[in-house]
Amino acid sequence: MPTMNIIQAVNDALDLAMAADKDVVILGEDVGKFGGVFRATVGLQEKYGEDRVIDTPLAEAGIIGAAIGMAIYGLRPVAEIQFSDFIFPAYDQIVNELAKFRYRSGGEYPCPMVIRTPFGGGIRGGHYHSQSPEATFAHHAGLVCVAPSNPYDAKGLLLAALASPDPVMVFEPKRIYRGPAHGTNWSAHPKGEVPAGHYTVPIGKADIARPLRGKGIPVSLITYGAMVETCREAATKVEADGIDVELIDLRTLVPYDLPAIVESVSRTGRAVVANEAPKTCGFAAEIVALIMEHCFDWLQAPPLRVTGYDTPFPYTLEAAYLPDSGRVATALRSVARYK
Amino acid sequence: MAASQPPPVEIAPLRVLRADGTILDPEFIDSVPASDIARLYAAMVAQRVYDDRMIKMQRQGRLGFYLACTGEEACAYGPAYALRDDDWMFPAYREPGVALWRGFPLQTWVDNLVGNCDDPVKGRQMPVHWSARAQNVVSISSPVGTQIPQCAGTAYAMRQRGDDAVAICFFGEGTSSEGDFHVGLNFAGVAKAPAIFFCRNNGYAISTPYEKTTATPHIALRALGYGIRGQVVDGNDLFAVIKAVREAAAFARAGHGPTLIEAKTYRLAAHSTSDDPKAYRSREEEAEAAAQDPLPRLRRWLEAQGLWDEAREQQTQAEASEAILAALARAEAKPHPPLTTLFDDVFAARTPLLEAQALELAAHLSSGDSAYRASGGH
């Protein structure tokens, strides 16, 4: 089976979708001739033409607004927002228009389209190339939000998004685009194996990224995106402490897989939830609230969050800001030893 | 890299009919069947009656909100007439005529004003925010200008699919200050999308006059900055509006790209039922604008052709009044949209979360302590 990195997996999914359906169009800044600043659309304009892989003017509200107009007419646009930090000029188009089009028109104007946007830090991008705004979109009814953590899921979720009747936002974990950790590549990772051809990863289904080993105090560790690999590292670290981690990769934030969360936490009785975004109103807060509502009777310890701090995203002190495997391990130990 | 020769921007207002009802452009008049003009005039008279009655009904507490197009009727009925039924229209909230002219049922429009079970948008939006899919008229938003880049995208899609259609969007001159105006016209200009941007310059963004919102003498001049065609038109002259939109549509269908039309008109009524223009403009100014009213102007011409008279005027008004009040009475007698619709259409199918919330609401409503039930909901 071929191995791919996340960029190649995204490119492969887009290529398959464009070959299969001439209504699929890509639009965004630098996505055409250049192939995107992260190279996710490389070669596609050459193959499918300038009318289907559109280098747009530099205006995010225009990219999303035009994509909405295309989608309601019957095209299947895939809009790229170069960095999720730049998505805010399009916030009105996304939350007031895209998210509400089907509802506000009484079902007359569904608006199925895909927004791809890289999110998260770890690339020395400072304030404006590092943020994780997914919770602000998950908050608005009407937007499906997914966040793959590996090449296999990146391709399968994108193909599922392209087949969805709803608008789907794909938050791509940019710091693990090319390898699960700095200086590595995806070829040695089981999820770096990406089947050729069409397949989908179901929207709304979480994945057990690391099952319990059956030895030690069980803890459910729940996260998504680039934090999956950070959490995997933490799980290995705490093995020596007699802690047995079940790592749950949410994959979809909206609609989240509540049964998977409840099933795991009711079994382990302990939970740590991690997200890279700031703590206040981050997506981890929602998951912890769900755990309290649905798993209270099984809990052996208060669930903990490991998140970014409530500051703007820093440049020089990035490594201090980002939740690392050490902070996750500390939280795991704390939850496991709670008396 | 130099752009090709930019299309023209015409700021001398396109005019076919003088305010006194006499003709400047007989050749154009000949291109529109006189019987069509009589029908358009009758529809505009009816629209004015609808607006008048609905404002009164709002004052009586029978509607939550209303927003009239009085004085700007030609800016809705003209474009709707000039375009084909497969051309898509993106109205703001002041152009009910674009859908009514295409056969959107009056009853459905009033059902939306009331927000009952037959409201096409299922009571989810305020009055005047309807949707008319069968007429190719797109759902209306309250934040202004969002429809402008969407219109550009739809126009792009039309060409991409090989359809010979155009997309038009409507907005006021106040909206031309929004970023979406800029990004929409820029996108359409670069893409040479078959779009028409129809700006109703009615003089006021709610209370703020034109000169406080822009320093350019004509919104249409902005077309130059986007490399697209610009055209000022007398928005109170139905013939001129039809001519301008026809020309813009032909230009777009020929692959030459978009046109920004600026229709100079005047909002004779208040912005909405929540507004009182006495606070910001003079009676003299309003009287001067009323002298340019598109309806009497067209009536003078029709009467000179022997196509209209006072009896027909009275009859049209009486029929419109009866029709709208009967439609309102029927709309008021209809029940609310079913409660289940609250959770539908968020997504194509209800998510487990929405299913759970629907059950939660049902339990609450049967608890005997529900504000909805207390307000008469059923």
Side-chain angles (χ1 to χ4, degrees):
Chain A
M1 197 178 287
T3 62
M4 292 185 191
N5 65 33
I6 292 177
I7 289 292
Q8 291 163 330
V10 167
N11 186 275
D12 189 38
L14 292 171
D15 192 3
L16 284 167
M18 294 195 85
D21 180 358
K22 63 180 174 28
D23 281 334
V24 174
V25 297
I26 291 171
L27 69 166
E29 293 153 11
D30 308 302
V31 298
K33 194 168 184 183
F34 184 55
V37 298
F38 288 103
R39 325 299 292 142
T41 54
V42 82
L44 297 176
Q45 189 183 69
E46 212 174 356
K47 201 163 168 184
Y48 299 104
E50 289 184 27
D51 291 340
R52 289 186 65 198
V53 184
I54 308 158
D55 277 318
T56 64
L58 208 170
E60 290 76 13
I63 293 168
I64 303 301
I68 290 169
M70 294 173 183
I72 59 173
Y73 193 73
L75 296 189
R76 180 64 72 138
V78 182
E80 176 178 303
I81 298 296
Q82 203 164 73
F83 285 82
S84 60
D85 311 73
F86 306 156
I87 206 165
F88 297 103
Y91 199 64
D92 187 41
Q93 285 287 350
I94 295 171
V95 308
N96 269 333
E97 301 291 316
L98 178 62
K100 295 177 176 60
F101 236 104
R102 179 191 290 274
Y103 195 81
R104 81 172 202 218
S105 67
E108 287 194 342
Y109 285 98
C111 196
M113 57 175 263
V114 176
I115 299 174
R116 294 180 40 247
T117 189
F119 81 125
I123 62 154
R124 295 187 58 74
H127 279 357
Y128 301 119
H129 297 78
S130 306
Q131 295 174 81
S132 297
E134 66 279 7
T136 64
F137 295 97
H139 180 71
H140 292 281
L143 300 168
V144 171
C145 297
V146 303
S149 69
N150 59 65
Y152 179 89
D153 288 349
K155 178 175 169 181
L157 280 171
L158 183 50
L159 286 169
L162 275 154
S164 168
D166 297 309
V168 182
M169 299 190 70
V170 184
F171 293 92
E172 296 176 355
K174 64 172 159 322
R175 85 159 171 268
I176 56 167
Y177 262 157
R178 292 170 197 286
H182 187 67
T184 67
N185 63 54
W186 282 100
S187 60
H189 193 286
K191 294 287 185 102
E193 289 188 4
V194 178
H198 187 276
Y199 68 92
T200 57
V201 167
I203 287 169
K205 291 283 173 221
D207 181 43
I208 298 183
R210 180 192 194 272
L212 289 178
R213 304 288 159 93
K215 226 176 87 183
I217 301 166
V219 181
S220 300
L221 176 56
I222 301 166
T223 191
Y224 55 92
M227 283 300 292
V228 170
E229 290 309 316
T230 306
C231 287
R232 192 190 300 281
E233 195 179 300
T236 307
K237 275 187 183 170
V238 298
E239 276 174 17
D241 302 287
I243 297 169
D244 191 10
V245 169
E246 179 161 272
L247 176 57
I248 303 211
D249 178 359
L250 286 174
R251 300 198 290 198
T252 298
L253 307 187
V254 178
Y256 49 69
D257 188 351
L258 182 62
I261 297 165
V262 172
E263 195 280 324
S264 176
V265 178
S266 60
R267 206 158 20 78
T268 63
R270 299 171 202 268
V272 172
V273 188
N275 70 215
E276 205 180 293
K279 190 168 199 175
T280 304
C281 299
F283 201 72
E286 186 63 31
I287 300 300
V288 168
L290 290 169
I291 290 169
M292 296 308 288
E293 285 172 353
H294 295 273
C295 306
F296 186 80
D297 287 346
W298 288 277
L299 287 178
Q300 307 289 320
L304 288 184
R305 281 177 284 172
V306 181
T307 71
Y309 298 109
D310 285 315
T311 68
F313 198 101
Y315 176 69
T316 304
L317 303 180
E318 174 178 52
Y321 173 88
L322 278 173
D324 58 14
S325 62
R327 280 182 61 204
V328 179
T330 300
L332 288 166
R333 288 183 198 111
S334 168
V335 164
R337 289 168 189 164
Y338 182 80
K339 292 276 191 286
Chain B
M1 192 175 68
S4 53
Q5 183 69 25
V9 175
E10 186 53 69
I11 55 167
L14 185 65
R15 210 170 262 141
V16 174
L17 203 59
R18 293 187 189 90
D20 64 4
T22 60
I23 292 181
L24 283 158
D25 184 350
E27 205 177 313
F28 181 75
I29 299 261
D30 289 344
S31 76
V32 186
S35 57
D36 286 359
I37 295 299
R39 279 175 55 229
L40 281 161
Y41 176 73
M44 288 161 62
V45 168
Q47 180 69 60
R48 189 159 293 189
V49 171
Y50 302 156
D51 284 346
D52 174 72
R53 298 297 181 275
M54 292 302 97
I55 287 170
K56 290 192 172 79
M57 292 302 109
Q58 193 277 340
R59 298 286 181 241
Q60 289 179 20
R62 288 171 68 184
L63 292 179
F65 175 79
Y66 191 72
L67 197 148
C69 64
T70 306
E72 300 173 64
E73 294 90 345
C75 295
Y77 287 87
Y81 175 77
L83 294 171
R84 302 190 319 222
D85 285 352
D86 62 334
D87 295 327
W88 278 38
M89 303 199 278
F90 290 74
Y93 37 59
R94 209 182 293 285
E95 298 90 4
V98 299
L100 293 171
W101 180 256
R102 281 195 180 172
F104 188 53
L106 183 69
Q107 184 64 55
T108 309
W109 181 61
V110 177
D111 287 337
N112 167 259
L113 296 177
V114 171
N116 64 30
C117 63
D118 288 337
D119 170 10
V121 307
K122 305 179 187 172
R124 290 169 180 158
Q125 292 215 67
M126 282 172 77
V128 310
H129 295 69
W130 37 272
S131 178
R133 183 67 189 84
Q135 284 73 35
N136 289 330
V137 184
V138 178
S139 142
I140 297 167
S141 183
S142 298
V144 297
T146 52
Q147 72 277 26
I148 300 173
Q150 292 165 10
C151 173
T154 293
Y156 188 99
M158 288 166 161
R159 190 187 54 200
Q160 182 62 19
R161 283 199 149 185
D163 297 339
D164 182 36
V166 304
I168 186 170
C169 61
F170 298 84
F171 51 92
E173 88 293 342
T175 296
S176 74
S177 297
E178 287 281 2
D180 275 350
F181 170 87
H182 167 71
V183 301
L185 269 66
N186 191 47
F187 182 94
V190 171
K192 281 200 185 303
I196 303 171
F197 301 103
F198 193 99
C199 175
R200 287 177 292 92
N201 184 348
N202 67 14
Y204 289 88
I206 303 188
S207 70
T208 310
Y210 180 81
E211 60 275 13
K212 298 275 189 199
T213 66
T214 175
T216 183
H218 307 286
I219 299 291
L221 278 173
R222 294 185 180 163
L224 198 61
Y226 301 108
I228 68 173
R229 202 170 152 265
Q231 174 73 60
V232 175
V233 59
D234 181 344
N236 297 337
D237 176 348
L238 178 73
F239 285 107
V241 171
I242 292 169
K243 185 176 184 186
V245 174
R246 272 190 186 171
E247 286 175 359
F251 188 78
R253 281 189 231 281
H256 301 313
T259 299
L260 170 61
I261 295 174
E262 178 187 5
K264 307 266 194 196
T265 181
Y266 192 85
R267 198 192 70 215
L268 289 175
H271 164 72
S272 74
T273 47
S274 309
D275 172 43
D276 177 12
K278 284 198 280 290
Y280 53 83
R281 65 189 192 190
S282 70
R283 293 313 74 129
E284 294 72 23
E285 180 189 304
E286 289 179 354
E288 205 176 297
Q292 302 296 319
D293 187 332
L295 266 60
R297 185 194 300 205
L298 194 56
R299 180 178 171 176
R300 281 181 212 109
W301 179 82
L302 283 166
E303 285 181 342
Q305 312 304 305
L307 294 166
W308 203 259
D309 55 28
E310 182 58 23
R312 285 190 71 172
E313 182 85 12
Q314 293 297 333
Q315 190 192 345
T316 303
Q317 288 187 11
E319 285 172 5
S321 182
E322 194 183 332
I324 191 80
L325 293 174
L328 181 61
R330 278 192 296 271
E332 287 171 329
K334 295 180 186 182
H336 284 189
L339 273 165
T340 54
T341 62
L342 185 61
F343 300 98
D344 293 336
D345 301 324
V346 180
F347 298 103
R350 282 190 195 176
T351 58
L353 176 69
L354 290 169
E355 288 290 4
Q357 292 182 354
L359 289 173
E360 204 178 298
L361 173 63
H364 172 59
L365 291 177
S366 57
S367 72
D369 189 17
S370 147
Y372 179 73
R373 289 277 191 259
S375 71
H378 42 77

